[in-house]
Amino acid sequence: MSNTSRLAGKVAVVAGATRGAGRGIALALGAAGATVYATGRSTRGQLSDMGRTETIDDTADLITSKGGKGIAVRVDHTQAEQVKALFERVRAEQNGQLDILVNDVWGGDALVKWGERFWEHSLTDGLKVIERAVFTHLITAHYGAPLMVARGSGLLIEITDGDNEWNKAYRGNLYYDLVKTTINRMAMGMAEELKSHGVTALALTPGFLRSEAMLDHFGVTEANWRDAIAQDPFFAGSETPHFIGQAVVALASDPQVMRKAGQALATWHLAEEYGFNDADGQRPHWLRFYEASVEKQG
């Protein structure tokens, strides 16, 4: 089966598809033949407060160019009525069909202050991180899950940072740690309540993500990203958004995916299980790289 037909006829919603992992996932689903609703707050002519230039319109065009059907829908996922309207639109346009829902809403980069203890950290910013990265996932799942339950099938993926093994250690900032561990627990709870309806819920983490924002942070592009290793040696083990996109396609194509319900999975393990690579043909393994690097330093 060619990649462009693996998910032909499938309908997906990727919440938070403007850039980073969300865009990588949306493009991979499109390349596999799916119809993908790409949501976010940044559109051409109306950017979000993130101050970046990527838009969901660009994502939708790229999805279509790769063989899928991209549909951009501006949604602020903190606003329940906007999320409700999104899924009402999907229900109407797709005859109730929703096969894949990916929750990748984040929006906390400018709010998390690394190095500040929780009593020093802005409470307003900390609570906004929770609103943007936890409440949004609950709201989106609340309105999206019923479409899959009604059909008795579907895959709900919560994008997180760290699988169950990786999240045993404190993540360095209370609000960040709270959000990411909560997402993993949320996936576990959703799985328990959805499995009897034929719907699989799970969490999925990338490794060190070589996103557009991270490339900008280091002042490099994808073409010369290795130049940034001098600034952060751990960047040598990074992966592109394409990699997590391939992980989602592999999960969505697996007829036995229910066996993974409730788990917090990692791209590096799934790549070895399903045999996919990153855009450059490499197969990064973030945990192995990180542990080897720490051992070398210590």
Side-chain angles (χ1 to χ4, degrees), residues 21 159-162 204-209 239-240 244 265-268 286:
I159 303 303
T160 185
D161 181 11
L204 174 63
T205 182
F208 194 156
L209 190 67
E239 62 196 57
T240 76
I244 194 169
L265 307 171
T267 54
W268 53 90
W286 168 246

Side-chain angles (χ1 to χ4, degrees), residues 1 4 69 112 132 136 140 175 183 218 289 296:
M1 181 184 296
T4 55
K69 181 179 180 181
V112 172
R132 288 185 173 182
T136 55
T140 303
Y175 294 104
I183 294 301
F218 287 121
F289 174 85
K296 189 175 181 179

Side-chain angles (χ1 to χ4, degrees), residues 266-278:
T267 54
W268 53 90
H269 292 314
L270 293 177
E272 293 185 336
E273 177 182 352
Y274 291 111
F276 60 83
N277 297 320
D278 208 341

Side-chain angles (χ1 to χ4, degrees), residues 166 207-208 210 225-226 229 232-239 268-269 272 283-297:
W166 187 249
F208 194 156
R210 206 154 69 239
W225 71 270
R226 290 186 176 277
I229 296 172
D232 185 344
F234 289 111
F235 203 50
S238 63
E239 62 196 57
W268 53 90
H269 292 314
E272 293 185 336
R283 188 176 292 173
H285 191 295
W286 168 246
L287 184 59
R288 187 181 300 148
F289 174 85
Y290 176 82
E291 289 178 340
S293 299
V294 170
E295 183 177 353
K296 189 175 181 179
Q297 290 176 359

Side-chain angles (χ1 to χ4, degrees), residues 27-296:
L27 298 192
L29 290 170
T35 293
V36 185
Y37 287 80
T39 76
R41 295 180 298 148
S42 292
T43 60
R44 292 171 188 154
Q46 187 177 1
L47 300 181
S48 75
D49 60 0
M50 299 290 289
R52 296 196 57 84
T53 59
E54 300 91 358
T55 70
I56 54 172
D57 304 293
D58 299 330
T59 300
D61 287 347
L62 288 167
I63 292 165
T64 302
S65 74
K66 290 183 176 296
K69 181 179 180 181
I71 303 171
V73 185
R74 188 181 191 280
V75 180
D76 181 341
H77 285 263
T78 66
Q79 304 301 309
E81 287 304 311
Q82 292 186 31
V83 178
K84 181 180 179 182
L86 163 69
F87 288 104
E88 287 177 346
R89 174 176 172 177
V90 173
R91 188 193 304 273
E93 293 179 351
Q94 305 300 329
N95 295 316
Q97 181 180 350
L98 177 62
D99 302 289
I100 304 155
L101 170 58
V102 180
N103 260 328
D104 185 45
V105 182
W106 165 232
D109 286 342
L111 301 171
V112 172
K113 303 299 188 296
W114 298 100
E116 291 188 5
R117 292 166 291 190
F118 72 86
W119 62 91
E120 301 167 331
H121 198 286
S122 164
L123 180 60
T124 299
D125 287 351
L127 294 178
K128 186 172 287 187
V129 171
I130 295 171
E131 178 189 32
R132 288 185 173 182
V134 176
F135 289 6
T136 55
H137 288 234
L138 288 167
I139 293 168
T140 303
H142 175 84
Y143 287 110
L147 276 72
M148 295 186 284
V149 168
R151 289 170 54 85
S153 65
L155 175 61
L156 194 165
I157 300 179
E158 292 288 333
I159 303 303
T160 185
D161 181 11
D163 60 1
N164 288 336
E165 180 181 17
W166 187 249
N167 265 336
K168 289 179 181 178
Y170 180 56
R171 306 308 301 280
N173 175 280
L174 180 62
Y175 294 104
Y176 189 87
D177 184 271
L178 181 61
V179 164
K180 299 308 179 182
T181 55
T182 297
I183 294 301
N184 288 1
R185 187 74 180 183
M186 188 185 302
M188 186 190 77
M190 289 178 180
E192 284 295 315
E193 299 192 8
L194 287 169
K195 63 184 179 181
S196 63
H197 299 279
V199 180
T200 302
L202 54 84
L204 174 63
T205 182
F208 194 156
L209 190 67
R210 206 154 69 239
S211 64
E212 301 92 336
M214 189 57 66
L215 291 169
D216 288 348
H217 171 74
F218 287 121
V220 294
T221 65
E222 182 57 30
N224 69 336
W225 71 270
R226 290 186 176 277
D227 292 348
I229 296 172
Q231 301 176 56
D232 185 344
F234 289 111
F235 203 50
S238 63
E239 62 196 57
T240 76
H242 174 86
F243 200 50
I244 194 169
Q246 297 310 300
V248 170
V249 170
L251 290 166
S253 304
D254 184 353
Q256 303 299 321
V257 71
M258 180 65 82
R259 294 179 300 182
K260 293 178 168 57
Q263 298 180 43
L265 307 171
T267 54
W268 53 90
H269 292 314
L270 293 177
E272 293 185 336
E273 177 182 352
Y274 291 111
F276 60 83
N277 297 320
D278 208 341
D280 60 2
Q282 300 299 306
R283 188 176 292 173
H285 191 295
W286 168 246
L287 184 59
R288 187 181 300 148
F289 174 85
Y290 176 82
E291 289 178 340
S293 299
V294 170
E295 183 177 353
K296 189 175 181 179

